[in-house]
Each structure stands twice: as structure tokens, then as C-alpha cells.
Amino acid sequence: MSDCIISVEHVFKSVIDSTGELDILRDIDFKLNQRETVAIVGASGSGKSTLLSIIAGLDTPSRGTVTLAGQDIFALDEDDRAALRAQKVGFVFQSFQLLGNLTALENVMLPLELANRRDARKAAADMLARVGLSQRLGHYPKVLSGGEQQRVALARAFVMQPAVLLADEPTGSLDFATGESVMALMFELNREQGTTLVLVTHDPGIAKRCRRCITIEAGRVAKVSDVDGDQ
């Protein structure tokens, strides 16, 4: 059985704007193995976040294929892609993406409830305790600090024990010390669960904590380098 969990094969992405056709991604091609930690780096506008969205099946390529856990995701319709994401993929965003009308506990329970998990409340409470928020279960996002909100987001992402975690600038809204704490926690959880971590970042310090670094320049893979990493 192959260790490959994600295969990105000759992916192109173009859009039409007022000046004509704009190439965002050009012939992106790489494979990621199970449990691997990978940083995608590059200047703003290089196509990093677009690539992450395509890996998740949230955006579609103009050409090329993406295989997730052996499944060609763009051979699926939107409903089946969403079901595959729910089963296999966790997300952490720069802007946290918590639901403001739900408590910390309810935010983490949500994906469990959507999966009809009978132990949703206990599993969510246990994961929030794991990220150090056992005293904040009933608090709404607006009364949580940025670091606390991102810990809730980590709990929500990891509570489903996804095969793949996709993180887009997860410390971009945090101060340095808080960001360091959040990243340490993310890598700890990643080690514990054996997740494949794909991390978009502009921070070279964070990128060095991953096993591999993929540099995107002007929509192309400019360099793939192996790093010692934390893992």
C-alpha cells in the first residue's frame, strides 16, 4: 500500500480579469506522504493559498489532478468532495473562522455532530482540555483572546483526527509569543495523531520546523528542499 496521501499532478490555475487571462498556478507537481510535514512558502501573491484551496477541493484547477487518500477529488461532485473533506481533512485559518454564536465547546462539537458522533460533547471537551482551554468551554469567541481562538480552531481541526491538516498562515493574526505557543501546540498534536501537515506560511522560522519546504514563485514550484524539522 502506498504511503502517498496527497498527489498534485500538473496543476494549472488561470482566471480572467480586466486585462485578460491571468496565470495563478503553472504546472504544480508534487507528492506528499502520510505523516509528512510540509511548508509551502513564497511571496504574497505567489499562489500559495490558491494551491492550498485546490488541494482541499475548495477551488478547482484549470487543468491537472489532485488525489487525496487515493481518490481523484475532481472526479467527484461537490457533495462528494465535501464528504471526503469532512472525513479526511482539517483546516486552520489565519482568521480562526469560528462561529460567533457558538461557544468554544459548541464550535469544537460541530464537526463531530455533523458526523453523528454520539460522544460529541465529551470528545470536544477533552480536546479543549488538551489545548489548555478547559476553563473556557462556555465562552463565546468575542471574549476569547486571539491565541485562545486559534487554540479552539486547533481543537476543532484535530478533534476529528483528520488524515490531513491544512493550515493557512495560522499565526498571521497573532503576536510573536502567542504564535510560537500556537505553533508548538500544532506540531505536538500533529505528532500525537500522525497527521499529514500542509502549512502555508511566510515565516521562515515556521517553515524550518517542517520536514520539507516547497517554494512557490510566480505560480511555479521554484524549489523543494528537505529540512531537519521538529518531526
Side-chain angles (χ1 to χ4, degrees):
M1 183 177 175
S2 172
D3 287 335
C4 179
I5 185 74
I6 297 170
S7 178
V8 179
E9 300 176 49
H10 304 295
V11 163
F12 292 75
K13 178 67 177 182
S14 302
V15 296
I16 304 295
D17 65 9
S18 58
T19 62
E21 188 172 68
L22 175 65
D23 293 325
I24 299 174
L25 297 174
R26 293 181 281 183
D27 202 19
I28 304 290
D29 196 90
F30 59 83
K31 296 184 189 308
L32 305 180
N33 289 327
Q34 295 175 33
R35 297 176 175 266
E36 193 166 10
T37 55
V38 183
I40 299 176
V41 302
S44 179
S46 60
K48 307 185 300 296
S49 293
T50 300
L51 175 57
L52 201 70
S53 292
I54 287 174
I55 291 171
L58 296 168
D59 195 359
T60 55
S62 303
R63 279 190 282 154
T65 60
V66 176
T67 303
L68 172 63
Q71 176 68 62
D72 179 352
I73 62 176
F74 297 110
L76 303 174
D77 62 25
E78 286 189 24
D79 288 344
D80 287 339
R81 277 205 300 275
L84 183 65
R85 271 196 302 276
Q87 183 183 12
K88 298 289 186 182
V89 183
F91 297 93
V92 180
F93 301 95
Q94 176 177 340
S95 57
F96 317 135
Q97 300 284 6
L98 301 178
L99 296 177
N101 63 328
L102 299 182
T103 65
L105 181 63
E106 290 165 345
N107 266 283
V108 179
M109 285 174 62
L110 186 59
L112 296 162
E113 290 178 324
L114 291 173
N116 295 315
R117 285 270 297 271
R118 292 185 177 182
D119 64 338
R121 181 171 292 273
K122 182 182 186 304
D126 288 348
M127 184 55 73
L128 283 165
R130 174 64 187 82
V131 302
L133 293 177
S134 57
Q135 304 303 312
R136 308 289 266 168
L137 303 186
H139 290 69
Y140 290 91
K142 66 181 179 182
V143 299
L144 299 175
S145 69
E148 287 172 333
Q149 288 186 63
Q150 195 60 298
R151 284 170 180 263
V152 174
L154 282 179
R156 181 182 58 189
F158 278 105
V159 76
M160 294 292 291
Q161 298 188 320
V164 176
L165 182 74
L166 305 178
D168 193 356
E169 300 283 9
T171 63
S173 298
L174 307 175
D175 63 73
F176 177 79
T178 304
E180 283 288 293
S181 173
V182 164
M183 287 310 304
L185 180 60
M186 178 182 288
F187 279 103
E188 282 176 27
L189 291 168
N190 193 70
R191 273 194 298 271
E192 288 171 14
Q193 294 194 4
T195 308
T196 300
L197 175 63
V198 185
L199 175 66
V200 164
T201 183
H202 66 278
D203 186 330
I206 292 175
K208 286 178 182 176
R209 299 179 72 163
C210 294
R211 277 285 175 86
R212 194 148 51 121
C213 184
I214 298 172
T215 303
I216 306 292
E217 292 179 2
R220 294 184 184 275
V221 174
K223 182 170 66 172
V224 178
S225 53
D226 291 326
V227 189
D228 288 340
D230 276 5
Q231 306 300 294

